[in-house]
Amino acid sequence: MLFLVLSIICSVVVGVIFKITRKYNTNPTQIVAFNYVFAMLLCYFTFSPDLKEVTVNSPWIIYIAIGVLLPAVFLFLVASIKHMGIVKTDAAQRLSLFIPILAAWFIFKEEFNSYKVIGLLTGFLALLFILKKQATNTGNKWMYPAIVLFGFGVIDILFKQIALYTTLPYTTSLFVVFEIALLVAVFIAAYEFVIKKARFESKNILFGALVGLFNFGNILFYLKAHKAFSENPSTVFAGMNMGVIILGSVVGLLFFKEKLSKINFVGIILALISIIFIVFSQLK
């Protein structure tokens, strides 16, 4: 249970760091890039991946797809936290679990029981309530958490495909993905340097290191939690998703004074209920 709690804390802390960076006029792209530098180093020294096992027959299309999506969706996550807050962003990220579930239904023709159908319907209703903007919130800012939801959902599907590729250890594939994500983030940062005349500032390295540390910690403790609860993975699944929504809501409301309408609160409660139904649907 300790590993699960640590994974939840690490996940929420990443959002908190990005929320704090707004006060220091930082560059999100540079932070994301340095995040992958430190995540790669931690992955290398923790798991000691053998890169000699990576060949031309490895699932490079999936590696590249995830490597491109990760930094791109990460930047949308930063924008979502900035414009919509930690509460709605964390909830949207966790509700992204419905994307792979829908893919299983429509693409892989998986049979659904009543619990899963109720969970899906409740989840979509929760999403509408959570992302409902207040009258003072103009523009299409709700698009940021919506893209976070869709993006992480697609990434989850691709990571599941990597997990099925048993020729390589999962941690080796993860290191390769981090490498590609770093290259993409560096390319975006270089574009900002040349076109937008952005300046390099050392404070972005510090924040990047913090994000990389907790981002990797989230992955490490999540894997350890799954190992500890190997006979009951639904415990990790439910605990992680509900824990992040609850802790993210508490942090956003108490420490950052984020404003939520009554409908938003109802949406968060519905999100928790929908995840419970999804977990029950997995139990045999």
Side-chain angles (χ1 to χ4, degrees):
M1 188 60 69
L2 176 61
F3 293 136
L4 182 58
V5 172
L6 289 174
S7 181
I8 292 170
I9 292 173
C10 287
S11 180
V12 174
V13 168
V14 169
V16 171
I17 293 172
F18 278 118
K19 188 80 172 180
I20 293 174
T21 59
R22 293 180 59 189
K23 298 180 180 180
Y24 296 93
N25 194 28
T26 56
N27 184 299
T29 303
Q30 293 179 28
I31 292 176
V32 170
F34 284 113
N35 148 70
Y36 288 118
V37 171
F38 288 95
M40 276 178 54
L41 292 173
L42 289 169
C43 184
Y44 183 82
F45 289 110
T46 302
F47 299 120
S48 301
D50 186 3
L51 298 180
K52 294 179 180 179
E53 297 179 350
V54 182
T55 66
V56 293
N57 295 321
S58 299
W60 283 102
I61 294 178
I62 299 178
Y63 288 161
I64 294 172
I66 301 177
V68 172
L69 282 173
L70 272 179
V73 175
F74 222 143
L75 290 174
F76 276 107
L77 183 141
V78 175
S80 179
I81 291 173
K82 176 181 178 181
H83 295 291
M84 300 294 284
I86 293 176
V87 179
K88 292 185 178 182
T89 301
D90 276 342
Q93 183 179 352
R94 291 302 148 185
L95 284 173
S96 66
L97 64 96
F98 294 112
I99 301 299
I101 290 175
L102 287 174
W105 191 0
F106 290 107
I107 298 176
F108 303 109
K109 307 301 180 182
E110 179 182 321
E111 292 186 5
F112 277 29
N113 55 34
S114 56
Y115 284 120
K116 189 169 290 187
V117 173
I118 294 173
L120 277 173
L121 294 176
T122 307
F124 283 124
L125 187 61
L127 181 62
L128 293 176
F129 285 0
I130 289 172
L131 299 184
K132 184 174 176 58
K133 62 182 180 180
Q134 300 179 30
T136 56
N137 186 13
T138 58
N140 293 323
K141 304 294 176 60
W142 61 269
M143 284 296 295
Y144 292 117
I147 292 175
V148 167
L149 182 149
F150 183 77
F152 276 111
V154 173
I155 289 171
D156 188 40
I157 294 174
L158 294 174
F159 266 126
K160 280 182 171 58
Q161 294 302 308
I162 287 181
L164 296 175
Y165 185 77
T166 55
T167 305
L168 278 179
Y170 185 80
T171 50
T172 301
S173 294
L174 182 64
F175 184 81
V176 174
V177 167
F178 280 156
E179 283 185 307
I180 298 172
L182 173 60
L183 290 175
V184 173
V186 169
F187 177 81
I188 298 174
Y191 169 81
E192 292 185 352
F193 280 132
V194 176
I195 305 299
K196 297 185 177 181
K197 308 300 181 182
R199 295 188 304 170
F200 170 78
E201 295 181 282
S202 58
K203 58 187 176 184
N204 294 316
I205 300 178
L206 174 61
F207 284 114
L210 289 173
V211 172
L213 174 64
F214 287 100
N215 194 20
F216 178 76
N218 175 31
I219 296 171
L220 175 64
F221 293 128
Y222 189 66
L223 292 175
K224 286 183 176 291
H226 267 296
K227 186 176 181 180
F229 290 96
S230 58
E231 296 182 357
N232 192 8
S234 60
T235 300
V236 181
F237 176 80
M240 185 65 189
N241 286 280
M242 291 190 292
V244 168
I245 291 177
I246 294 172
L247 181 59
S249 299
V250 170
V251 171
L253 293 171
L254 296 183
F255 294 95
F256 296 101
K257 309 300 180 183
E258 294 182 2
K259 296 180 180 179
L260 295 179
S261 65
K262 292 180 179 179
I263 291 181
N264 296 151
F265 277 113
V266 172
I268 291 172
I269 294 173
L270 287 175
L272 297 175
I273 293 173
S274 69
I275 290 172
I276 292 173
F277 272 104
I278 293 297
V279 171
F280 274 121
S281 76
Q282 305 296 322
L283 300 177
K284 297 182 179 180

